[in-house]
Amino acid sequence: MSKTPVTPVQVTGTVLTTRRVDAYHALTVVAPGIVERFRPGHFVGVAVGGPGTSMLTRRAFSVHDVKPDYGGTVEFVFTAGGPGTTWLAERRARDTLDLVGPLGRPFPLPRDPVTCVLVGGEYGSAMLFAVADALQRRGCRVDFVLGAASADRVFGALRARRMGETTTLTTEDGSLGMRGRVTDVLPGVIADVRADAVYACGPMETLRGVTAVAVEFDIPVQVAVEERMACGIGVCMTCVLPVIGDDGVTRMVRACVEGPVFRGERVRFDDVGTIPFDALGAPGGGTRHAG
Amino acid sequence: MPVDMRTYLGHVELANPITTAAGCAASGAELAQFFDLGRLGAVTTRSITMAPRAGRPTPRMAETPSGLLSAVGLQGPGVDAFLARELPWLAQRNVRTVVSIGGGTVAEYTALARRLTDAPGVTAVEVNLSCPNIEDRGRVFALDGAASAEVVASVRSVMRYDVPVVAKLSPDALDVVAVARACVDGGADALSMINNPLGMSVDTDAMRPALAAVTGGLSGPAIRPLAVRCVWQVHAALPGVPIIGMGGVLTGRDAFEFVLAGACVVAVGTALFHDPYAGLRVVRELEEILAARGFHRLADAVGLAHRPPGATTRHRTDFEESPL
């Protein structure tokens, strides 16, 4: 587990390519400085709207891929939903983007060549390929379980098939792979491949299910959470969730600095979106006033 | 010719007029990854409370046009951890530190001030008056001049004589000048304004309030005119009182607007979420703007917008170009 934080940098990057991948958009940006420091699990904070924008918060995207071309490129995947991501989806090659990164705590990697199941929900799977690459370089066996609501929302199925020993796909509407959710097939996959560890990224509900399965098998699980952030660098205090620390105390920790990667069993998924009564500094424990 | 950017908060000299706004720089270490905090005039801490606070549930934030609605609920480690770790960390790096304090009762503010009074590295204390007063059915101190003055007087009485006490005012007060006057009468050495006005946003997809706390503080350029108005009114009424101006400062031009309205220190807040270098950039841009307008000293521009119509800007004694 790495405790040495990587110093992030702010760069004005140039968009190299834009592409549509089924329901998603992918942007490749020339961002020297970020690439050298990147480790799997890191994310970038992207300013949206251009100079003089009325959108003040940065959008956080996990890094899908880094390449050494053109001094270093970063690729991230997103859906165009609100005004910020819609603006991003309209970027074209040679446009500039303001990026801060790499941010967050990356995935810890096992020292020994073990068998790892990588679980991705929706476009959360985008960040898993860098993890898979790092694991394989350590001699680990990698198996994928990817799932989404429908076939066009399963990200990276082809690449998973290429990289993984096995790849299991699930869709809720049955349009690709097995009908159901990743958590329906995960116990079977873990048993079949005799997995030693699970890595997961996706919506909170998926991570909660994946963690429950891993706990049942008594194997370690690392999850990367997708919390809404305003700054990504740890100053705005908006992306907090209840996580149990080494000392057994639950704290409201920032997904951007203490995360986004956590040990699954340490995250109190049932209490996300609340302040658990036994959290450090919870109302009633000390001063009661709000601010 | 370089502009003399020095400014005074009470009797304390700052190398330049830019500070971070309370609650926008976490412990300071997060921004120090990007630049040396000592290059800012000062760093203002998040509001420190007696006990650790977990804050509000999420979602805590909603983006609004040119603004940010947030309800963090003063999440923080409590005064013990602050004095044990965060303040010494800042002091070691010779960062000018304005410590913001928040409490639910006059006694709590006083107890906090007492803890801070012997702590090395406290440049000034900013009293966050936008906290609900437990002893007055949760009414926010800053709305009431008498309640604000009581807190300020109590903090002033226990704080070291050489540490200025700054009262942070809310634009939600009916008459911000009256509250400002009450705080100064209560012993405030300086005033800072504005704290976030209360706002609300409804998520039209979920058809529920966007924030878990329902209401939140609005920040960002959306509130800048409100902030400039408050600074203007208070500076007009109390021209001798130093003012820390803040509210939606993104650029040097915005900071200059506050200076002209009467602020001698300007805080950068929400801009830091967008650009970690915002504070440094504003220092540089403000210096460029002052130089471009022929100012030799920042102090000459403070409150200059208050000069009567037709009056010259009094600094313009440019002897080099004078025919004499």
Side-chain angles (χ1 to χ4, degrees):
Chain A
M1 202 187 286
S2 161
K3 287 288 174 191
T4 44
V6 179
T7 313
V9 290
Q10 181 178 31
V11 296
T12 303
T14 307
V15 176
L16 189 66
T17 56
T18 65
R19 59 188 178 113
R20 283 299 298 262
V21 188
D22 297 325
Y24 305 116
H25 297 264
L27 274 181
T28 306
V29 187
V30 179
I34 293 181
V35 177
E36 302 78 300
R37 295 170 167 84
F38 169 80
R39 301 240 302 281
H42 275 145
F43 67 95
V44 288
V46 183
V48 294
T53 179
S54 69
M55 292 179 275
L56 298 173
T57 64
R58 277 180 186 262
R59 305 312 196 249
F61 302 107
S62 54
V63 173
H64 168 47
D65 217 351
V66 295
K67 288 206 180 81
D69 325 355
Y70 306 98
T73 64
V74 171
E75 186 173 35
F76 56 88
V77 178
F78 60 98
T79 43
T85 43
T86 303
W87 179 86
L88 267 182
E90 290 161 0
R91 292 311 90 201
R92 294 292 167 259
R94 288 192 289 280
D95 286 349
T96 55
L97 272 186
D98 174 353
L99 273 69
V100 172
L103 298 168
R105 194 176 75 88
F107 278 108
L109 300 171
R111 220 172 286 119
D112 306 311
V114 297
T115 301
C116 303
V117 177
L118 274 53
V119 188
E122 304 278 323
Y123 64 99
S125 50
M127 76 188 303
L128 293 178
F129 300 105
V131 185
D133 194 44
L135 288 170
Q136 286 180 336
R137 269 187 273 129
R138 291 180 176 228
C140 293
R141 174 190 160 131
V142 170
D143 294 87
F144 283 97
V145 177
L146 307 183
S150 56
D152 64 333
R153 302 186 71 84
V154 177
F155 184 86
L158 263 174
R159 193 159 171 205
R161 283 204 176 107
R162 247 187 355 251
M163 290 185 83
E165 291 292 323
T166 69
T167 296
T168 313
L169 306 174
T170 66
T171 49
E172 276 164 47
D173 63 359
S175 53
L176 180 71
M178 320 265 278
R179 181 189 294 271
R181 297 164 193 270
V182 288
T183 43
D184 299 334
V185 301
L186 186 59
V189 174
I190 291 178
D192 287 351
V193 307
R194 297 208 185 88
D196 300 302
V198 176
Y199 290 83
C201 183
M204 208 58 92
E205 199 47 45
T206 304
L207 300 181
R208 164 204 180 117
V210 169
T211 299
V213 171
V215 166
E216 200 146 301
F217 279 88
D218 199 22
I219 54 175
V221 53
Q222 296 283 343
V223 300
V225 301
E226 294 171 351
E227 265 289 342
R228 284 182 47 195
M229 300 174 185
C231 71
I233 58 172
V235 293
C236 77
M237 306 299 290
T238 62
C239 60
V240 298
L241 70 169
V243 174
I244 304 166
D246 290 333
D247 53 1
V249 177
T250 298
R251 292 182 180 79
M252 299 306 293
V253 304
R254 295 162 293 183
C256 66
V257 174
E258 282 87 6
V261 176
F262 295 102
R263 283 168 61 177
E265 72 275 13
R266 294 289 184 85
V267 181
R268 292 176 62 171
F269 288 106
D270 293 341
D271 298 319
V272 169
T274 71
I275 306 292
F277 75 91
D278 56 344
L280 182 71
T287 45
R288 217 187 169 84
H289 63 277
Chain B
M1 179 175 159
V3 180
D4 180 357
M5 295 291 277
R6 285 176 303 169
T7 190
Y8 286 87
L9 191 59
H11 63 274
V12 175
E13 184 184 291
L14 304 179
N16 68 62
I18 304 301
T19 172
T20 61
C24 297
S27 69
E30 292 82 358
L31 286 181
Q33 299 181 92
F34 295 93
F35 64 91
D36 173 11
L37 291 176
R39 292 169 66 187
L40 295 177
V43 165
T44 306
T45 68
R46 52 184 157 202
S47 289
I48 304 301
T49 51
M50 279 307 277
R53 280 177 60 95
R56 295 286 202 168
T58 54
R60 289 178 170 184
M61 173 271 292
E63 198 178 55
T64 59
S66 292
L68 182 72
L69 201 56
S70 63
V72 170
L74 300 193
Q75 182 174 346
V79 70
D80 292 331
F82 173 74
L83 291 177
R85 290 196 301 271
E86 298 183 4
L87 187 60
W89 188 93
L90 290 161
Q92 264 169 25
R93 281 155 187 80
N94 287 321
V95 178
R96 292 280 194 175
T97 306
V98 179
V99 180
S100 172
I101 57 173
T105 60
V106 176
E108 195 176 346
Y109 282 104
T110 314
L112 278 162
R114 201 166 277 131
R115 296 295 307 277
L116 290 172
T117 193
D118 296 324
V122 180
T123 300
V125 168
E126 184 178 84
V127 185
N128 177 359
L129 294 166
S130 295
C131 296
N133 182 353
I134 297 172
E135 291 164 334
D136 188 14
R137 288 168 293 165
R139 187 161 181 247
V140 172
F141 288 100
L143 300 187
D144 178 7
S148 298
E150 196 186 344
V151 174
V152 169
S154 185
V155 169
R156 181 64 278 174
S157 69
V158 299
M159 207 58 218
R160 269 169 60 133
Y161 72 98
D162 59 348
V163 175
V165 172
V166 186
K168 185 156 184 180
L169 309 181
S170 165
D172 291 339
L174 268 181
D175 182 354
V176 71
V177 174
V179 179
R181 217 186 282 276
C183 288
V184 171
D185 290 346
D189 303 288
L191 300 167
S192 79
M193 64 201 77
I194 57 174
N195 211 318
N196 303 160
L198 209 57
M200 182 173 167
S201 169
V202 175
D203 179 338
T204 50
D205 292 322
M207 298 186 279
R208 297 185 46 75
L211 301 182
V214 182
T215 58
L218 182 62
S219 65
I223 65 164
R224 196 191 309 135
L226 184 55
V228 172
R229 182 268 292 176
C230 290
V231 171
W232 172 278
Q233 288 181 333
V234 171
H235 184 74
L238 304 160
V241 179
I243 295 175
I244 308 178
M246 68 201 76
V249 173
L250 292 186
T251 65
R253 189 221 76 94
D254 304 339
F256 190 48
E257 190 179 358
F258 277 97
V259 169
L260 292 173
C264 61
V265 177
V266 178
V268 177
T270 306
L272 296 168
F273 303 166
H274 185 81
D275 174 7
Y277 292 98
L280 278 191
R281 182 172 48 73
V282 170
V283 172
R284 193 186 64 235
E285 289 173 352
L286 178 61
E287 188 170 358
E288 284 166 7
I289 286 171
L290 287 165
R293 283 165 181 66
F295 289 93
H296 298 155
R297 307 187 319 153
L298 166 85
D300 292 335
V302 174
L304 198 61
H306 290 264
R307 71 188 186 282
T312 53
T313 54
R314 58 183 180 274
H315 69 284
R316 287 192 186 259
T317 33
D318 201 338
F319 295 110
E320 284 86 0
E321 288 176 28
S322 163
L324 302 172

